[in-house]
């Protein structure tokens, strides 16, 4: 699947399933609304109307895939039932349908019958089904991102939409946006899938440079001993033992007329051995994915800027490899972080919160951000708290908590809140000799909430701005493959600030912003009077 190119179209093209397989995906009630004369262009005269009608009747009562022509033309119904904490688009089921229907070696088509608000999450779901990274030696998987091989060698999978209801078709700009979204998701997943011998801090900085060049941005980077010199005790302390030195990197988008400053801060631990508090032999495999937060932010930043983000947006990448060596941080060491607060290290495997604490305080102090969101594969406790599909979200702002839940539902990158209660939980970090320890005393006391609160503590619990935390340790992968989690979530969460009409339409409305807009309008009226 590494050699697949994804295209998106608002109209159905003529094709023959004998040459170009097609799978038609949708919720049964949407599939039932398909008119044979609208879809028969995909059948090349190989599927008569009576067979199609019979298949439609079949999928209403059975969730099984229904073949229309051999295995080259199929109806693939999505689950009828969908609980209130699942994405209405059934995006996870879409990914499974695409996986099951994929035919290697042939250009193919995916037709999705859905309402317009489900177009974006369905595109994200399709992208997840086609991972880019592979080191398999068979010819079909030799194409890698950046390969010099001709594009003619690529298999093209075209996603076409049958929009249900009285709605306007997708515009060309919207189809371009969907292609960019798919590219960003697949690139994010590729970085997370790539092992550390090919994706260390140097390589991640190269990935940042590629995106920066595409967007016409010059990255800002602080690296190695300069981190220590400038007071970034968290990032430097975590990464100083590795061969490839740690770094803080920033991409900034500063459009004219912006009134807000938003910072996304990503945990980019390129590999996590646990440091001197070393992980066991069964816990360490998969730790290449500990850069998932930073990777998701890189993909989301690219997509947000390409689609016309209207506010100041900074992407802050906290990059380090938590390695073992003569320079490794020791339990009992005390580090002074960028906030000026001191941290007694009692567990070197609780490293992500250290780099993020430096990153969020930098976003506050240096970037003057009004809204700060950090995203990280932070705790194993996340999957216990919210499961494998839902990221755990924590924030000091109720309005944005609701928005994060809604953004998860409309994007398919699901989320669920965990308790925000510093008075109950922050005492877990009490230290006799420093401002705080970096790991909790009692791991059974809201572990994931505590980890997030450690980060906020460096801004201060009285921080007047908006702070949001996304722990996506489990959703970053499904089985042995990365999901590209975070791209869809972030651009949906901040959809109101995009020039893309499609993203604006699904972006949650923030009650706080409505109140602020009302206050501004009232001030304007008073000035006019």
């Amino acid at each position: 699947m590494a050699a697949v190119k994804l295209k998106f179209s608002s109209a159905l093209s003529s094709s023959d399933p004998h040459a170009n397989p097609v799978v038609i995906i949708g919720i049964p009630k949407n599939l039932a609304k398909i008119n044979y004369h609208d879809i028969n262009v995909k059948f090349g005269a190989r599927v008569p109307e009576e067979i199609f009608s019979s298949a439609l009747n079949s999928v209403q009562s059975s969730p099984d895939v229904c073949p229309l022509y051999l295995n080259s033309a199929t109806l693939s119904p999505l689950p009828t039932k969908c609980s209130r904490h699942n994405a209405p688009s059934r995006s996870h089921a879409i990914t499974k349908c695409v996986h099951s229907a994929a035919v290697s070696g042939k250009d193919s088509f995916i037709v999705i019958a859905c309402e317009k608000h489900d177009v974006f999450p369905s595109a994200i779901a399709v992208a997840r089904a086609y991972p880019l990274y592979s080191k398999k030696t068979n010819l079909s998987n030799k194409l890698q991102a950046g390969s010099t091989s001709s594009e003619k060698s690529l298999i093209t999978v075209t996603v076409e939409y049958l929009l249900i209801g009285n709605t306007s078709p997708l515009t060309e700009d919207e189809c371009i946006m969907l292609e960019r979204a798919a590219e960003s998701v697949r690139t994010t997943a590729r970085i997370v899938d790539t092992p550390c011998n090919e994706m260390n801090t140097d390589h991640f900085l190269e990935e940042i440079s590629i995106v920066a060049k595409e967007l016409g941005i010059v990255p800002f980077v602080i690296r190695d001993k300069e981190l220590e010199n400038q007071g970034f005790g968290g990032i430097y302390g975590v990464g100083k033992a590795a061969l490839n030195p740690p770094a803080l990197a920033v991409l900034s988008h500063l459009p004219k007329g912006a009134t807000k400053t938003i910072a996304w801060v990503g945990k980019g631990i390129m590999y996590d051995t646990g440091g001197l508090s070393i992980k066991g032999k069964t816990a360490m495999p998969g730790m290449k994915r500990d850069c998932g937060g930073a990777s998701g932010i890189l993909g989301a930043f690219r997509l947000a800027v390409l689609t016309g983000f209207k506010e100041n947006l900074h992407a802050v990448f906290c990059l380090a490899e938590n390695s073992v060596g003569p320079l490794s941080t020791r339990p009992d060491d005390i580090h002074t972080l960028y906030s000026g607060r001191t941290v007694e290290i009692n567990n070197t495997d609780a490293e992500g919160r250290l780099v993020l604490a430096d990153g969020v305080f930098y976003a506050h102090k240096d970037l003057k951000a009004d809204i700060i969101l950090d995203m990280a594969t932070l705790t194993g406790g996340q999957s216990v708290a919210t499961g494998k599909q839902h990221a755990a979200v924590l924030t000091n702002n109720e309005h944005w908590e609701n928005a994060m839940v809604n953004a998860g539902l409309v994007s398919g990158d699901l989320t669920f809140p965990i308790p925000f209660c510093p008075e109950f939980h922050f005492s877990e970090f009490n230290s006799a000799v420093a401002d705080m320890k970096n790991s909790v005393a009692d791991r059974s006391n809201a572990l994931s909430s505590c980890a997030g609160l450690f980060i906020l503590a460096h801004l201060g619990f009285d921080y007047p701005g908006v702070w949001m935390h996304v722990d996506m340790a489990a959703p970053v992968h499904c089985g042995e493959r990365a999901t590209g989690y975070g791209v869809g979530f972030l651009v949906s969460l901040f959809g109101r600030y995009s020039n893309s009409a499609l993203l604006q339409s699904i972006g949650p409305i923030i009650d706080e912003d409505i109140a602020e807009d009302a206050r501004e309008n009232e001030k304007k009226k008073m000035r006019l009077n």
Side-chain angles (χ1 to χ4, degrees):
M1 290 188 181
V4 167
K5 178 181 180 180
L6 288 176
K7 292 179 63 178
F8 291 82
S9 174
S10 62
L12 302 191
S13 59
S14 297
S15 62
D16 184 342
H18 189 73
N20 305 116
V22 59
V23 56
I24 303 163
I25 299 172
I27 302 166
K29 70 175 184 179
N30 288 337
L31 293 177
K33 296 175 183 177
I34 297 176
N35 187 308
Y36 175 76
H37 299 290
D38 293 331
I39 196 73
N40 67 346
V41 294
K42 305 306 302 178
F43 297 149
R46 298 183 186 277
V47 181
E49 186 171 2
E50 55 269 27
I51 289 180
F52 181 72
S53 298
S54 176
L56 281 181
N57 291 332
S58 173
V59 299
Q60 299 307 309
S61 58
S62 170
D64 295 333
V65 172
C66 186
L68 300 170
Y69 173 74
L70 304 176
N71 287 322
S72 295
T74 56
L75 273 181
S76 191
L78 299 172
T80 301
K81 294 182 178 179
C82 180
S83 72
R84 63 191 178 92
H85 291 150
N86 192 7
S89 62
R90 282 77 160 173
S91 58
H92 290 80
I94 292 174
T95 303
K96 291 179 181 178
C97 288
V98 174
H99 266 305
S100 300
V103 178
S104 61
K106 290 185 177 182
D107 289 353
S108 59
F109 292 88
I110 298 168
V111 176
I112 299 178
C114 67
E115 297 178 70
K116 195 163 186 179
H117 56 74
D118 288 333
V119 164
F120 181 70
S122 69
I124 298 291
V126 171
R128 285 198 182 106
Y130 294 100
L132 285 168
Y133 183 81
S134 177
K135 281 294 182 177
K136 290 181 179 289
T137 54
N138 54 302
L139 185 61
S140 64
N141 280 321
K142 280 191 173 180
L143 282 176
Q144 294 293 310
S147 169
T148 57
S149 302
S150 169
E151 273 208 8
K152 292 180 180 178
S153 303
L154 293 171
I155 296 165
T156 300
V157 176
T158 304
V159 183
E160 300 175 339
Y161 285 95
L162 266 177
L163 295 183
I164 305 301
N166 296 322
T167 184
S168 58
L170 295 176
T171 65
E172 183 179 352
D173 284 346
E174 287 170 336
C175 289
I176 291 171
M177 188 275 285
L178 295 176
E179 288 187 14
R180 287 170 170 168
E183 290 166 2
S184 294
V185 169
R186 296 177 79 198
T187 298
T188 293
R190 173 180 59 79
I191 293 171
V192 176
D193 275 337
T194 305
C196 190
N197 61 322
E198 299 176 29
M199 188 57 66
N200 55 43
T201 50
D202 293 344
H203 297 118
F204 200 106
L205 287 170
E206 290 172 9
E207 297 287 345
I208 291 171
S209 294
I210 291 169
V211 171
K213 185 176 181 181
E214 180 183 12
L215 302 178
I217 294 172
V218 178
F220 174 74
V221 179
I222 306 172
R223 192 142 204 221
D224 202 7
K225 292 290 287 185
E226 192 57 30
L227 287 166
E228 182 182 35
N229 295 340
Q230 294 193 34
F232 292 92
I235 301 174
Y236 183 73
V238 170
K240 62 191 173 90
L243 179 62
N244 304 98
L248 175 85
V250 184
L251 293 177
S252 297
H253 168 68
L254 305 171
K256 291 182 179 178
T259 59
K260 296 180 185 295
T261 298
I262 298 158
W264 297 341
V265 183
K267 173 188 173 184
I269 300 298
M270 308 314 300
Y271 198 82
D272 183 15
T273 66
L276 292 182
S277 306
I278 198 164
K279 295 178 184 289
K281 65 179 181 179
T282 58
M284 206 180 298
M287 285 300 107
K288 65 180 182 179
R289 303 187 190 107
D290 218 11
C291 64
S295 303
I297 283 173
L298 181 61
F301 181 85
R302 172 187 181 269
L303 180 58
V305 175
L306 286 175
T307 51
F309 202 80
K310 295 182 286 190
E311 302 292 353
N312 296 326
L313 180 63
H314 302 280
V316 182
F317 306 95
C318 306
L319 307 177
E321 181 184 343
N322 190 19
S323 193
V324 175
L327 296 180
S328 293
T329 290
R330 296 163 291 259
D332 293 338
D333 284 358
I334 295 177
H335 293 318
T336 302
L337 273 57
Y338 193 57
S339 64
R341 291 171 171 83
T342 55
V343 179
E344 178 188 1
I345 306 301
N346 61 337
N347 180 2
T348 63
D349 196 21
E351 84 298 329
R353 63 201 67 181
L354 296 169
V355 303
L356 287 173
D358 275 354
V360 298
F361 195 78
Y362 176 85
H364 166 59
K365 178 176 180 288
D366 294 66
L367 301 178
K368 311 300 182 187
D370 313 303
I371 301 170
I372 299 173
L373 179 147
D374 68 76
M375 190 163 73
T377 51
L378 200 65
T379 64
Q382 176 270 304
S383 63
V384 177
T386 59
K388 293 183 178 180
Q389 309 291 357
H390 294 73
V393 294
L394 183 73
T395 176
N396 64 349
N397 186 291
E398 180 182 4
H399 302 297
W400 281 92
E401 179 181 283
N402 295 331
M404 285 195 284
V405 173
N406 291 331
L409 293 175
V410 300
S411 68
D413 283 350
L414 296 171
T415 66
F416 198 79
I418 53 176
F420 178 83
C421 201
E423 60 270 32
F424 285 172
H425 299 138
F426 192 68
S427 59
E428 294 292 343
F429 296 107
N430 285 348
S431 168
V433 292
D435 294 330
M436 65 194 80
K437 292 182 179 179
N438 76 313
S439 189
V440 294
D442 183 356
R443 294 181 65 82
S444 67
N445 185 19
L447 177 64
S448 295
S449 288
C450 290
L453 291 174
F454 177 94
I455 299 164
L456 177 58
H458 292 265
L459 293 173
F461 294 123
D462 57 351
Y463 174 62
V466 176
W467 168 80
M468 292 175 276
H469 168 68
V470 183
D471 187 344
M472 30 76 85
V476 74
H477 72 105
C478 180
E480 294 191 17
R481 279 297 195 177
T483 59
Y485 186 97
V487 176
F489 169 73
L490 287 173
V491 296
S492 297
L493 178 61
F494 293 92
R496 276 191 84 214
Y497 308 141
S498 173
N499 278 322
S500 164
L502 191 59
L503 291 177
Q504 285 180 9
S505 68
I506 64 174
I509 296 172
I510 314 300
D511 294 341
E512 191 176 68
D513 281 355
I514 293 175
E516 184 179 326
D517 291 344
R519 287 192 294 270
E520 287 299 317
N521 289 334
E522 193 62 32
K523 288 179 182 177
K524 288 178 182 178
K525 288 179 183 178
M526 291 176 67
R527 286 196 293 269
L528 290 172
N529 292 333

